[in-house]
Structures are given as C-alpha cells and as structure tokens.
Amino acid sequence: MRLLILAGAALFAAACTQETPADPAAANTPAPAGEEAPVQVASAPSTEQTVDWEKARADFTAKRPADAPATVQTAGQDGPSPVPMLLPSGIVQTASDRPTPPVVTKDGYFATYHLPRYDAIVNGSMKAYTGTGQAAVGDKEAMKFTLGEAVASLAFSRYGADYLIDFECREIDGPTSCITEAEAREFAESLFVAQTR
C-alpha cells in the first residue's frame, strides 16, 4: 500500500513538472508510446482584445457634449489610458475646487471632482470591480449601487472595461448618505468618452 502511495505521488510530481512546448507544432505532435502528452493551458485574453475601442471612438465623435474640452490633460504615466476614459459633463465647480487632471495608471485612470455635497471619484480599470457584464450604462440592471457610512459606490461596465464611481460625502442630508441611487445613476449617465485610442 505504501509503495502504491509513493508511486502515485511520484507520478503526480512528474506530471506537475512537465513543461508545455513553446513550438505550436510540437504541441500537436503525439506523445511517444508510454508517455502522457503535456497539458496545454489556455491564457486569458488580454483587455486589449476585449475593449471595444471602435465603439468608444464612435461615441467619442458622436456623443461629445458641447461643454466637453477639446483635449484632456492627464497626470501619471505617459500615454493614453488603457481603457476608454469616461468623464462627467456639466460639472460646475468653484476655482478652489477645480478638478485635478485625470491620473493615468497602468491599469486605467481616476479623476476626482469636488462637488458641494460629495467628492466623486471616477475610476476606469482593466480590473473587474463587479460582475456586471459588458452592458451599457443605460441598462439600469447592469449597474450595482452600494451604500456605506458616508460613502456610496456605483459600478458598471462599458465598452468591455469596468468603471466605479465612489461618492465620498462632505455633508449628509438624509439618514444614510449624501446621494441617492437615482442621483448616482444620473451622474453615471452624464459620463462621456473624453479620451480613446
């Protein structure tokens, strides 16, 4: 019995240490008699393959609000955001509360807006915030609204990328938060494509 367990452990260790051939032709070559073929592991598709840049570019051209800036200044790493950059339109702020430029990171971007009742932080990322699928913002079922103590969040997907808007309360009017779900959705629906590839 002990011999069978040791033999099984040795076979398992040998199977785990087999390497996948780098040559695709070698991967299709049958294994010699008496040997097992190496296991092929499929790699996950990159975000480059899943982001619908064509639709984002079409919306960038067709759905830009009149008050949208011609170009968006960014801070952070060089180059455009790795996901379509969505920013809110119609935001009126005082000079002292002027928004900082969006910050581009290796995974996406974030932009902060200081409003009278709350700060809104718009995040776009290659990392999934929620399992909302790839539905458009207009699909209310695709948005996930959560409330916390003096904070609220709205997560959704668009163009194959994931977005999260955090609302950090400056003052609380009601018993739970400074923003309702309807107001959070309205803010999300004001987002337009500010930068694309």
Side-chain angles (χ1 to χ4, degrees):
M1 178 72 170
R2 185 172 178 202
L3 233 77
L4 284 173
I5 292 171
L6 288 173
L11 282 173
F12 178 77
C16 290
T17 57
Q18 281 186 331
E19 291 185 10
T20 303
D23 179 13
N28 295 328
T29 306
E35 290 184 26
E36 288 185 25
V39 177
Q40 298 292 317
V41 179
S43 60
S46 70
T47 300
E48 289 290 329
Q49 297 168 331
T50 59
V51 170
D52 190 346
W53 289 105
E54 188 175 325
K55 175 135 178 50
R57 283 190 291 272
D59 287 351
F60 175 80
T61 303
K63 298 182 178 179
R64 287 180 67 77
D67 64 348
T71 59
V72 175
Q73 298 294 322
T74 60
Q77 76 176 31
D78 294 333
S81 169
V83 297
M85 186 178 289
L86 303 183
L87 299 178
S89 62
I91 299 290
V92 178
Q93 299 182 208
T94 63
S96 62
D97 281 337
R98 192 170 293 175
T100 55
V103 176
V104 176
T105 67
K106 66 178 182 175
D107 296 321
Y109 75 95
F110 66 91
T112 304
Y113 296 86
H114 305 287
L115 301 167
R117 289 185 297 141
Y118 52 80
D119 290 342
I121 301 100
V122 180
N123 301 275
S125 181
M126 298 190 303
K127 294 181 178 177
Y129 287 118
T130 181
T132 57
Q134 296 185 9
V137 159
D139 181 358
K140 295 187 185 307
E141 296 302 313
M143 292 186 178
K144 183 178 179 184
F145 181 74
T146 53
L147 273 176
E149 190 174 329
V151 294
S153 296
L154 186 70
F156 60 94
S157 294
R158 194 191 279 184
Y159 308 117
D162 289 296
Y163 297 89
L164 176 72
I165 307 170
D166 287 318
F167 301 94
E168 297 178 354
C169 298
R170 290 178 151 197
E171 57 182 57
I172 300 176
D173 296 335
T176 54
S177 180
C178 55
I179 190 166
T180 65
E181 182 172 354
E183 290 170 329
R185 288 177 183 271
E186 185 180 343
F187 185 95
E189 287 161 3
S190 80
L191 298 177
F192 68 97
V193 180
Q195 187 182 85
T196 188
R197 291 185 177 179

